[in-house]
Coordinates of all heavy atoms in Angstrom, one line a residue:
M1 N 32.4 -21.6 -52.2 CA 33.0 -22.2 -53.4 C 33.2 -23.7 -53.2 O 34.3 -24.1 -52.8 CB 34.3 -21.4 -53.6 CG 35.3 -22.1 -54.6 SD 36.8 -21.3 -54.9 CE 37.6 -21.4 -53.3
S2 N 32.3 -24.5 -53.2 CA 32.4 -25.9 -53.1 C 32.3 -26.5 -54.5 O 31.5 -26.0 -55.3 CB 31.4 -26.4 -52.1 OG 30.1 -26.2 -52.5
G3 N 32.9 -27.6 -54.7 CA 32.8 -28.3 -56.0 C 34.1 -29.1 -56.3 O 35.0 -29.3 -55.4
R4 N 34.3 -29.4 -57.5 CA 35.5 -30.2 -57.9 C 36.5 -29.3 -58.7 O 36.0 -28.6 -59.5 CB 35.1 -31.4 -58.8 CG 36.2 -32.3 -59.1 CD 35.7 -33.5 -59.9 NE 34.6 -34.3 -59.1 CZ 34.9 -35.2 -58.3 NH1 36.2 -35.5 -58.0 NH2 34.0 -35.9 -57.6
I5 N 37.8 -29.4 -58.4 CA 38.8 -28.6 -59.1 C 38.8 -29.2 -60.5 O 39.1 -30.5 -60.7 CB 40.1 -28.7 -58.4 CG1 40.0 -28.0 -57.1 CG2 41.2 -28.0 -59.3 CD1 41.3 -28.1 -56.2
T6 N 38.6 -28.4 -61.5 CA 38.6 -28.9 -62.9 C 39.9 -28.5 -63.7 O 40.3 -29.2 -64.7 CB 37.4 -28.4 -63.7 OG1 37.3 -27.0 -63.6 CG2 36.2 -29.1 -63.1
A7 N 40.6 -27.4 -63.2 CA 41.9 -27.0 -63.9 C 42.7 -26.2 -63.0 O 42.1 -25.5 -62.1 CB 41.6 -26.3 -65.2
I8 N 44.0 -26.3 -63.1 CA 44.9 -25.4 -62.4 C 45.9 -24.9 -63.5 O 46.7 -25.7 -64.1 CB 45.7 -26.1 -61.3 CG1 44.7 -26.7 -60.3 CG2 46.7 -25.2 -60.7 CD1 45.3 -27.6 -59.3
E9 N 45.8 -23.7 -63.9 CA 46.6 -23.1 -65.0 C 47.5 -22.0 -64.6 O 47.1 -21.2 -63.8 CB 45.7 -22.7 -66.1 CG 44.8 -23.7 -66.7 CD 43.8 -23.2 -67.7 OE1 43.7 -21.9 -67.9 OE2 43.1 -24.0 -68.4
P10 N 48.7 -21.9 -65.1 CA 49.6 -20.8 -64.8 C 49.0 -19.5 -65.3 O 48.4 -19.4 -66.4 CB 50.9 -21.1 -65.5 CG 50.6 -22.2 -66.5 CD 49.3 -22.8 -66.1
Q11 N 49.2 -18.4 -64.5 CA 48.7 -17.1 -65.0 C 49.7 -16.5 -66.0 O 50.9 -16.8 -66.0 CB 48.7 -16.1 -63.7 CG 47.6 -16.5 -62.8 CD 47.4 -15.4 -61.7 OE1 48.2 -14.5 -61.6 NE2 46.3 -15.5 -61.0
A12 N 49.2 -15.7 -66.9 CA 49.9 -15.2 -68.1 C 51.0 -14.2 -67.6 O 52.1 -14.3 -68.1 CB 49.0 -14.6 -69.1
R13 N 50.7 -13.4 -66.7 CA 51.6 -12.3 -66.3 C 52.4 -12.6 -65.0 O 53.4 -11.8 -64.8 CB 50.9 -11.0 -66.2 CG 50.3 -10.5 -67.5 CD 49.7 -9.2 -67.4 NE 49.1 -8.9 -68.7 CZ 48.5 -7.7 -69.0 NH1 48.4 -6.8 -68.0 NH2 48.0 -7.5 -70.2
H14 N 52.0 -13.5 -64.2 CA 52.7 -13.8 -62.9 C 53.1 -15.2 -62.9 O 52.3 -16.1 -62.7 CB 51.7 -13.5 -61.8 CG 51.2 -12.1 -61.8 ND1 51.9 -11.0 -61.4 CD2 50.0 -11.6 -62.2 CE1 51.2 -9.9 -61.5 NE2 50.0 -10.2 -62.0
A15 N 54.4 -15.5 -63.1 CA 54.9 -16.8 -63.3 C 54.7 -17.7 -62.0 O 54.6 -18.9 -62.2 CB 56.4 -16.7 -63.6
N16 N 54.7 -17.1 -60.9 CA 54.5 -17.9 -59.6 C 53.2 -18.0 -59.1 O 52.9 -18.3 -57.9 CB 55.5 -17.4 -58.6 CG 55.2 -15.9 -58.1 OD1 54.5 -15.2 -58.9 ND2 55.6 -15.5 -57.0
R17 N 52.1 -17.7 -60.0 CA 50.8 -17.7 -59.5 C 50.0 -18.6 -60.6 O 50.4 -18.7 -61.7 CB 50.1 -16.3 -59.5 CG 50.8 -15.5 -58.4 CD 50.1 -14.4 -57.9 NE 48.7 -14.5 -57.6 CZ 48.2 -15.0 -56.4 NH1 49.0 -15.3 -55.5 NH2 46.9 -15.0 -56.2
F18 N 48.9 -19.2 -60.0 CA 48.1 -20.1 -60.9 C 46.6 -19.7 -60.7 O 46.2 -19.3 -59.7 CB 48.3 -21.6 -60.4 CG 49.6 -22.1 -60.7 CD1 50.7 -21.8 -60.0 CD2 49.8 -22.8 -61.9 CE1 52.0 -22.2 -60.3 CE2 51.1 -23.3 -62.2 CZ 52.2 -23.0 -61.4
N19 N 45.8 -20.0 -61.8 CA 44.4 -19.8 -61.8 C 43.8 -21.1 -61.4 O 44.1 -22.2 -61.9 CB 43.8 -19.4 -63.2 CG 44.3 -18.0 -63.5 OD1 44.5 -17.1 -62.6 ND2 44.5 -17.7 -64.8
L20 N 42.8 -21.1 -60.4 CA 42.1 -22.3 -60.0 C 40.7 -22.3 -60.5 O 40.0 -21.3 -60.3 CB 42.2 -22.3 -58.4 CG 41.5 -23.5 -57.8 CD1 42.2 -24.8 -58.0 CD2 41.4 -23.2 -56.3
Y21 N 40.3 -23.3 -61.2 CA 38.9 -23.4 -61.7 C 38.2 -24.5 -61.0 O 38.7 -25.6 -60.8 CB 39.0 -23.8 -63.2 CG 39.6 -22.7 -64.1 CD1 41.0 -22.6 -64.3 CD2 38.8 -21.7 -64.6 CE1 41.5 -21.5 -65.1 CE2 39.3 -20.7 -65.4 CZ 40.6 -20.6 -65.6 OH 41.1 -19.5 -66.3
V22 N 37.0 -24.2 -60.5 CA 36.2 -25.2 -59.8 C 34.9 -25.3 -60.6 O 34.3 -24.3 -61.0 CB 35.9 -24.7 -58.4 CG1 34.9 -25.6 -57.7 CG2 37.1 -24.5 -57.6
D23 N 34.6 -26.5 -61.0 CA 33.4 -26.8 -61.8 C 33.5 -26.0 -63.1 O 32.4 -25.4 -63.5 CB 32.1 -26.6 -61.1 CG 32.0 -27.6 -59.9 OD1 32.6 -28.7 -60.0 OD2 31.3 -27.2 -59.0
D24 N 34.6 -25.9 -63.8 CA 34.9 -25.2 -65.1 C 34.7 -23.7 -65.0 O 34.5 -23.1 -66.0 CB 34.0 -25.8 -66.2 CG 34.4 -27.2 -66.5 OD1 35.7 -27.5 -66.5 OD2 33.6 -28.1 -66.8
K25 N 34.6 -23.1 -63.8 CA 34.5 -21.7 -63.6 C 35.7 -21.2 -62.8 O 36.1 -21.8 -61.8 CB 33.2 -21.3 -62.9 CG 32.0 -21.6 -63.7 CD 30.7 -21.3 -63.0 CE 29.5 -21.6 -63.8 NZ 28.3 -21.4 -63.0
F26 N 36.3 -20.0 -63.2 CA 37.4 -19.4 -62.4 C 36.9 -19.2 -61.0 O 35.9 -18.6 -60.7 CB 37.8 -18.1 -63.1 CG 38.9 -17.4 -62.3 CD1 40.2 -17.8 -62.4 CD2 38.6 -16.4 -61.5 CE1 41.2 -17.2 -61.7 CE2 39.6 -15.7 -60.8 CZ 40.9 -16.1 -60.8
A27 N 37.8 -19.7 -60.1 CA 37.4 -19.5 -58.6 C 38.3 -18.5 -58.0 O 37.9 -17.5 -57.4 CB 37.6 -20.8 -57.9
L28 N 39.7 -18.6 -58.2 CA 40.6 -17.6 -57.6 C 42.0 -17.9 -58.1 O 42.3 -19.0 -58.6 CB 40.6 -17.6 -56.1 CG 41.2 -18.8 -55.4 CD1 41.7 -18.3 -54.0 CD2 40.2 -19.9 -55.1
G29 N 42.9 -16.9 -58.0 CA 44.3 -17.1 -58.2 C 45.0 -17.5 -57.0 O 44.7 -16.9 -55.9
V30 N 45.9 -18.4 -57.1 CA 46.7 -18.9 -55.9 C 48.2 -18.8 -56.2 O 48.6 -19.0 -57.3 CB 46.2 -20.2 -55.4 CG1 44.8 -20.3 -55.0 CG2 46.4 -21.3 -56.5
S31 N 49.0 -18.8 -55.1 CA 50.4 -18.8 -55.3 C 50.8 -20.3 -55.7 O 50.1 -21.2 -55.5 CB 51.1 -18.4 -54.0 OG 50.8 -19.3 -53.0
A32 N 52.0 -20.4 -56.1 CA 52.6 -21.7 -56.5 C 52.6 -22.7 -55.3 O 52.4 -23.9 -55.5 CB 54.0 -21.5 -57.1
I33 N 52.9 -22.1 -54.1 CA 53.0 -22.9 -53.0 C 51.7 -23.5 -52.6 O 51.5 -24.8 -52.3 CB 53.5 -22.1 -51.7 CG1 55.0 -21.7 -52.0 CG2 53.4 -22.9 -50.4 CD1 55.6 -20.7 -51.0
V34 N 50.6 -22.8 -52.7 CA 49.3 -23.3 -52.4 C 48.8 -24.2 -53.6 O 48.3 -25.3 -53.3 CB 48.3 -22.1 -52.3 CG1 46.9 -22.6 -52.1 CG2 48.7 -21.2 -51.1
A35 N 49.1 -23.8 -54.8 CA 48.7 -24.7 -56.0 C 49.4 -26.0 -55.9 O 48.8 -27.0 -56.4 CB 49.1 -24.0 -57.3
A36 N 50.6 -26.2 -55.4 CA 51.3 -27.4 -55.3 C 50.6 -28.4 -54.4 O 50.7 -29.6 -54.6 CB 52.7 -27.2 -54.8
K37 N 49.7 -28.0 -53.5 CA 49.0 -28.9 -52.6 C 47.6 -29.3 -53.2 O 46.9 -30.1 -52.6 CB 48.8 -28.1 -51.3 CG 50.1 -27.8 -50.6 CD 49.7 -27.0 -49.3 CE 51.0 -26.5 -48.7 NZ 50.8 -25.7 -47.6
L38 N 47.3 -28.7 -54.3 CA 46.0 -29.0 -54.9 C 46.1 -30.0 -56.2 O 47.2 -29.9 -56.8 CB 45.3 -27.7 -55.4 CG 45.1 -26.7 -54.3 CD1 44.6 -25.4 -54.9 CD2 44.1 -27.2 -53.3
R39 N 45.1 -30.7 -56.5 CA 45.1 -31.6 -57.6 C 43.8 -31.5 -58.4 O 42.7 -31.3 -57.8 CB 45.2 -33.1 -57.2 CG 46.5 -33.4 -56.4 CD 47.7 -33.5 -57.3 NE 48.9 -33.7 -56.6 CZ 49.8 -32.7 -56.4 NH1 49.7 -31.5 -56.8 NH2 50.9 -33.0 -55.7
V40 N 43.9 -31.6 -59.7 CA 42.7 -31.6 -60.5 C 41.9 -32.9 -60.1 O 42.4 -33.9 -60.0 CB 43.1 -31.7 -62.1 CG1 41.9 -31.9 -62.9 CG2 43.8 -30.4 -62.4
G41 N 40.6 -32.6 -60.0 CA 39.7 -33.7 -59.6 C 39.5 -33.7 -58.1 O 38.6 -34.4 -57.5
Q42 N 40.2 -32.9 -57.3 CA 40.1 -32.9 -55.8 C 38.7 -32.1 -55.5 O 38.4 -31.2 -56.2 CB 41.2 -32.1 -55.2 CG 41.2 -31.9 -53.8 CD 42.4 -31.2 -53.2 OE1 43.4 -31.1 -54.0 NE2 42.4 -30.7 -52.0
V43 N 38.0 -32.6 -54.6 CA 36.7 -32.0 -54.2 C 37.0 -31.1 -53.1 O 37.6 -31.4 -52.1 CB 35.7 -33.1 -53.8 CG1 34.4 -32.5 -53.3 CG2 35.4 -34.1 -54.9
L44 N 36.4 -29.8 -53.2 CA 36.5 -28.8 -52.2 C 35.2 -28.6 -51.6 O 34.2 -28.3 -52.3 CB 37.0 -27.5 -52.8 CG 38.4 -27.4 -53.3 CD1 38.7 -26.1 -53.9 CD2 39.4 -27.7 -52.2
D45 N 35.1 -28.8 -50.3 CA 33.8 -28.4 -49.6 C 34.0 -27.0 -49.1 O 35.1 -26.4 -49.2 CB 33.5 -29.4 -48.5 CG 34.6 -29.6 -47.5 OD1 35.6 -28.9 -47.6 OD2 34.4 -30.3 -46.5
D46 N 33.0 -26.5 -48.3 CA 33.1 -25.1 -47.8 C 34.3 -24.9 -46.8 O 34.9 -23.9 -46.8 CB 31.8 -24.7 -47.2 CG 30.7 -24.5 -48.2 OD1 31.1 -24.2 -49.4 OD2 29.5 -24.7 -47.9
A47 N 34.5 -25.9 -46.0 CA 35.6 -25.8 -45.0 C 36.9 -25.8 -45.7 O 37.8 -25.0 -45.3 CB 35.5 -27.0 -44.0
A48 N 37.1 -26.7 -46.7 CA 38.4 -26.7 -47.4 C 38.6 -25.4 -48.2 O 39.7 -24.9 -48.3 CB 38.4 -27.9 -48.4
S49 N 37.5 -24.8 -48.7 CA 37.6 -23.5 -49.5 C 38.0 -22.5 -48.5 O 38.8 -21.6 -48.9 CB 36.3 -23.2 -50.1 OG 36.0 -24.2 -51.1
A50 N 37.5 -22.4 -47.3 CA 37.8 -21.4 -46.3 C 39.3 -21.6 -45.9 O 40.0 -20.6 -45.8 CB 36.9 -21.5 -45.1
A51 N 39.7 -22.8 -45.7 CA 41.2 -23.1 -45.4 C 42.1 -22.6 -46.5 O 43.1 -22.1 -46.3 CB 41.4 -24.5 -45.1
L52 N 41.6 -22.9 -47.7 CA 42.4 -22.4 -48.9 C 42.5 -20.9 -49.0 O 43.6 -20.4 -49.2 CB 41.8 -23.0 -50.2 CG 42.4 -22.7 -51.5 CD1 43.8 -23.4 -51.6 CD2 41.5 -23.2 -52.6
A53 N 41.4 -20.2 -48.7 CA 41.5 -18.8 -48.7 C 42.4 -18.2 -47.6 O 43.2 -17.3 -47.8 CB 40.1 -18.2 -48.5
R54 N 42.4 -18.8 -46.4 CA 43.2 -18.4 -45.3 C 44.7 -18.6 -45.7 O 45.6 -17.8 -45.4 CB 42.9 -19.2 -44.1 CG 41.8 -18.7 -43.3 CD 41.6 -19.3 -41.8 NE 41.7 -20.7 -41.9 CZ 40.7 -21.5 -42.0 NH1 39.5 -21.0 -42.2 NH2 40.8 -22.8 -42.0
E55 N 45.0 -19.8 -46.3 CA 46.4 -20.1 -46.7 C 46.9 -19.1 -47.7 O 48.0 -18.7 -47.7 CB 46.5 -21.5 -47.2 CG 47.9 -22.0 -47.3 CD 48.0 -23.4 -47.6 OE1 47.0 -24.2 -47.6 OE2 49.1 -23.9 -47.9
E56 N 46.0 -18.8 -48.7 CA 46.4 -17.8 -49.7 C 46.6 -16.4 -49.1 O 47.6 -15.7 -49.5 CB 45.3 -17.8 -50.8 CG 45.7 -16.8 -51.9 CD 47.0 -17.2 -52.6 OE1 47.4 -18.3 -52.7 OE2 47.6 -16.2 -53.1
A57 N 45.8 -16.0 -48.1 CA 46.0 -14.7 -47.5 C 47.3 -14.7 -46.7 O 48.0 -13.7 -46.8 CB 44.8 -14.5 -46.5
Y58 N 47.7 -15.8 -46.1 CA 49.0 -15.9 -45.4 C 50.1 -15.8 -46.4 O 51.1 -15.0 -46.1 CB 49.0 -17.3 -44.6 CG 50.4 -17.5 -44.0 CD1 50.7 -16.9 -42.8 CD2 51.4 -18.2 -44.7 CE1 52.0 -17.1 -42.2 CE2 52.6 -18.4 -44.1 CZ 52.9 -17.8 -42.9 OH 54.2 -18.0 -42.4
E59 N 50.0 -16.5 -47.5 CA 51.1 -16.4 -48.5 C 51.2 -15.0 -49.1 O 52.3 -14.5 -49.3 CB 50.9 -17.4 -49.6 CG 51.1 -18.8 -49.3 CD 52.5 -19.1 -48.8 OE1 53.5 -18.5 -49.4 OE2 52.7 -19.9 -47.9
T60 N 50.1 -14.3 -49.3 CA 50.2 -12.9 -49.8 C 50.8 -12.0 -48.8 O 51.6 -11.2 -49.1 CB 48.7 -12.4 -50.1 OG1 48.1 -13.3 -51.1 CG2 48.7 -11.0 -50.6
A61 N 50.5 -12.1 -47.5 CA 51.1 -11.3 -46.5 C 52.6 -11.6 -46.4 O 53.4 -10.7 -46.2 CB 50.4 -11.6 -45.1
H62 N 53.0 -12.9 -46.5 CA 54.3 -13.3 -46.5 C 55.2 -12.7 -47.6 O 56.2 -12.1 -47.4 CB 54.5 -14.8 -46.5 CG 55.9 -15.3 -46.4 ND1 56.6 -15.8 -47.4 CD2 56.7 -15.4 -45.3 CE1 57.8 -16.2 -47.0 NE2 57.8 -16.0 -45.7
E63 N 54.6 -12.7 -48.8 CA 55.3 -12.1 -50.0 C 55.4 -10.6 -49.8 O 56.4 -10.0 -50.1 CB 54.5 -12.4 -51.3 CG 54.6 -13.8 -51.7 CD 56.0 -14.1 -52.1 OE1 56.7 -13.3 -52.7 OE2 56.5 -15.3 -51.8
Q64 N 54.4 -9.9 -49.3 CA 54.5 -8.4 -49.0 C 55.5 -8.1 -48.0 O 56.3 -7.2 -48.2 CB 53.1 -7.9 -48.5 CG 52.0 -7.9 -49.6 CD 50.7 -7.4 -49.0 OE1 50.5 -7.5 -47.8 NE2 49.8 -7.0 -49.9
A65 N 55.7 -8.9 -47.0 CA 56.7 -8.7 -46.0 C 58.1 -8.9 -46.6 O 59.0 -8.1 -46.3 CB 56.5 -9.7 -44.8
L66 N 58.3 -9.9 -47.4 CA 59.6 -10.1 -48.1 C 59.9 -9.0 -49.0 O 61.1 -8.6 -49.1 CB 59.6 -11.4 -48.8 CG 59.6 -12.7 -48.0 CD1 59.5 -13.9 -48.8 CD2 60.8 -12.7 -47.0
R67 N 58.9 -8.5 -49.7 CA 59.2 -7.3 -50.6 C 59.6 -6.1 -49.8 O 60.4 -5.3 -50.3 CB 57.9 -7.0 -51.5 CG 57.8 -7.9 -52.7 CD 56.8 -7.4 -53.7 NE 55.5 -7.2 -53.2 CZ 54.6 -8.1 -53.1 NH1 54.8 -9.3 -53.6 NH2 53.4 -7.8 -52.5
F68 N 59.0 -5.9 -48.7 CA 59.4 -4.8 -47.8 C 60.8 -4.9 -47.3 O 61.5 -3.9 -47.2 CB 58.4 -4.7 -46.6 CG 58.7 -3.6 -45.7 CD1 58.5 -2.2 -46.1 CD2 59.2 -3.8 -44.4 CE1 58.8 -1.2 -45.2 CE2 59.5 -2.7 -43.5 CZ 59.2 -1.5 -43.9
L69 N 61.2 -6.1 -46.9 CA 62.5 -6.3 -46.4 C 63.7 -6.4 -47.4 O 64.8 -6.3 -47.1 CB 62.6 -7.6 -45.5 CG 61.7 -7.6 -44.3 CD1 61.6 -8.9 -43.7 CD2 62.3 -6.6 -43.3
E70 N 63.3 -6.7 -48.7 CA 64.2 -7.0 -49.7 C 65.2 -5.9 -50.0 O 66.4 -6.1 -50.1 CB 63.5 -7.4 -51.0 CG 64.4 -7.9 -52.1 CD 63.6 -8.4 -53.3 OE1 62.5 -7.7 -53.6 OE2 63.9 -9.3 -53.9
P71 N 64.8 -4.6 -50.1 CA 65.7 -3.5 -50.6 C 66.9 -3.2 -49.7 O 68.0 -3.0 -50.1 CB 64.9 -2.3 -50.8 CG 63.5 -2.7 -50.8 CD 63.5 -4.0 -50.0
R72 N 66.6 -3.3 -48.4 CA 67.7 -2.9 -47.4 C 67.2 -3.4 -46.0 O 66.1 -3.7 -45.8 CB 67.9 -1.4 -47.3 CG 66.7 -0.7 -46.9 CD 66.9 0.9 -46.9 NE 65.7 1.6 -46.6 CZ 65.4 1.9 -45.3 NH1 66.0 1.4 -44.3 NH2 64.3 2.6 -45.1
P73 N 68.2 -3.4 -45.1 CA 67.8 -3.8 -43.7 C 66.9 -2.7 -43.1 O 67.0 -1.6 -43.4 CB 69.2 -3.8 -43.0 CG 70.2 -3.9 -44.0 CD 69.6 -3.3 -45.2
R74 N 65.9 -3.2 -42.3 CA 65.0 -2.2 -41.7 C 65.1 -2.2 -40.2 O 65.4 -3.3 -39.6 CB 63.5 -2.7 -42.0 CG 63.2 -2.8 -43.5 CD 63.2 -1.5 -44.2 NE 62.9 -1.7 -45.6 CZ 62.3 -0.8 -46.4 NH1 61.9 0.3 -45.9 NH2 62.0 -1.1 -47.6
S75 N 64.9 -1.1 -39.6 CA 64.9 -1.0 -38.2 C 63.6 -1.6 -37.6 O 62.6 -1.7 -38.2 CB 65.1 0.5 -37.7 OG 63.8 1.2 -38.0
R76 N 63.6 -1.8 -36.3 CA 62.5 -2.3 -35.6 C 61.3 -1.3 -35.7 O 60.2 -1.7 -35.8 CB 62.8 -2.6 -34.1 CG 61.7 -3.3 -33.4 CD 62.2 -3.7 -32.0 NE 63.4 -4.5 -32.1 CZ 63.5 -5.8 -31.6 NH1 62.4 -6.3 -31.0 NH2 64.5 -6.5 -31.8
A77 N 61.6 0.0 -35.6 CA 60.6 1.0 -35.7 C 59.9 1.0 -37.1 O 58.7 1.1 -37.2 CB 61.2 2.4 -35.4
E78 N 60.8 0.8 -38.1 CA 60.2 0.7 -39.5 C 59.3 -0.5 -39.6 O 58.3 -0.4 -40.3 CB 61.3 0.6 -40.5 CG 62.0 1.9 -40.8 CD 63.2 1.8 -41.8 OE1 64.1 1.0 -41.5 OE2 63.1 2.4 -42.9
L79 N 59.7 -1.6 -39.1 CA 58.9 -2.8 -39.1 C 57.6 -2.7 -38.4 O 56.5 -3.0 -38.9 CB 59.7 -4.0 -38.6 CG 60.9 -4.5 -39.2 CD1 61.6 -5.5 -38.5 CD2 60.6 -4.9 -40.7
N80 N 57.6 -2.1 -37.2 CA 56.4 -1.8 -36.4 C 55.5 -0.9 -37.2 O 54.2 -1.0 -37.2 CB 56.7 -1.3 -35.0 CG 57.3 -2.4 -34.2 OD1 57.1 -3.6 -34.4 ND2 58.1 -1.9 -33.2
S81 N 56.1 0.2 -37.8 CA 55.3 1.2 -38.5 C 54.6 0.6 -39.7 O 53.4 0.8 -40.0 CB 56.1 2.3 -38.9 OG 55.5 3.2 -39.8
N82 N 55.4 -0.2 -40.5 CA 54.8 -0.9 -41.7 C 53.7 -1.9 -41.3 O 52.7 -1.9 -42.0 CB 55.9 -1.6 -42.5 CG 55.4 -2.2 -43.7 OD1 55.0 -3.3 -43.7 ND2 55.5 -1.4 -44.8
Y83 N 53.9 -2.6 -40.2 CA 52.9 -3.6 -39.8 C 51.7 -2.9 -39.3 O 50.5 -3.3 -39.7 CB 53.5 -4.4 -38.6 CG 52.5 -5.4 -38.1 CD1 52.2 -6.5 -38.8 CD2 51.9 -5.2 -36.9 CE1 51.3 -7.5 -38.4 CE2 51.0 -6.1 -36.4 CZ 50.7 -7.2 -37.1 OH 49.7 -8.1 -36.7
A84 N 51.8 -1.8 -38.6 CA 50.6 -1.1 -38.1 C 49.9 -0.5 -39.3 O 48.6 -0.4 -39.4 CB 51.0 0.0 -37.2
R85 N 50.6 0.0 -40.3 CA 50.0 0.6 -41.5 C 49.2 -0.5 -42.3 O 48.1 -0.2 -42.8 CB 51.0 1.3 -42.4 CG 50.6 2.4 -43.2 CD 51.7 3.2 -43.9 NE 52.9 2.4 -44.3 CZ 54.1 2.6 -43.7 NH1 54.2 3.5 -42.8 NH2 55.1 1.9 -44.1
S86 N 49.8 -1.7 -42.4 CA 49.2 -2.7 -43.2 C 47.9 -3.3 -42.5 O 47.1 -3.9 -43.1 CB 50.2 -3.9 -43.4 OG 50.5 -4.6 -42.2
R87 N 47.9 -3.1 -41.2 CA 46.7 -3.6 -40.4 C 45.6 -2.6 -40.2 O 44.6 -2.9 -39.7 CB 47.2 -4.1 -39.0 CG 48.3 -5.1 -38.9 CD 47.7 -6.4 -39.3 NE 46.8 -6.9 -38.3 CZ 46.2 -8.0 -38.3 NH1 46.3 -8.8 -39.3 NH2 45.3 -8.3 -37.4
S88 N 45.8 -1.4 -40.7 CA 44.8 -0.4 -40.5 C 43.6 -0.7 -41.4 O 43.7 -1.1 -42.6 CB 45.3 1.0 -40.9 OG 45.6 1.2 -42.3
P89 N 42.4 -0.4 -40.9 CA 41.2 -0.7 -41.7 C 40.9 0.3 -42.9 O 40.1 0.0 -43.7 CB 40.0 -0.5 -40.7 CG 40.6 0.4 -39.7 CD 42.1 0.1 -39.6
T90 N 41.7 1.4 -43.0 CA 41.5 2.3 -44.0 C 42.2 1.9 -45.3 O 42.2 2.7 -46.2 CB 41.9 3.8 -43.6 OG1 43.3 3.7 -43.2 CG2 41.1 4.2 -42.4
K91 N 42.9 0.9 -45.3 CA 43.7 0.4 -46.4 C 42.9 0.2 -47.7 O 41.9 -0.2 -47.9 CB 44.5 -0.8 -46.1 CG 45.5 -1.2 -47.1 CD 46.3 -2.4 -46.7 CE 47.3 -2.8 -47.8 NZ 48.0 -3.9 -47.5

């Protein structure tokens, strides 16, 4: 996904996510934190695209962890179990 960012638009159903368009084609949805670092007209090469995908994967994992911790305090065993389940290849 190399090219020039042509638009960054908010998603209709997710207020904290944005659609990223590269060369007038939808490329991917990104979190607000990642979108804040991008500008329309910015050129993305393959290395920058890979870094963007890694950063988005990190933000997604972070959000999942916060959702898991939000309802109540968790024990260390619960955290380890949830982490092992999330890392399993059968997911």
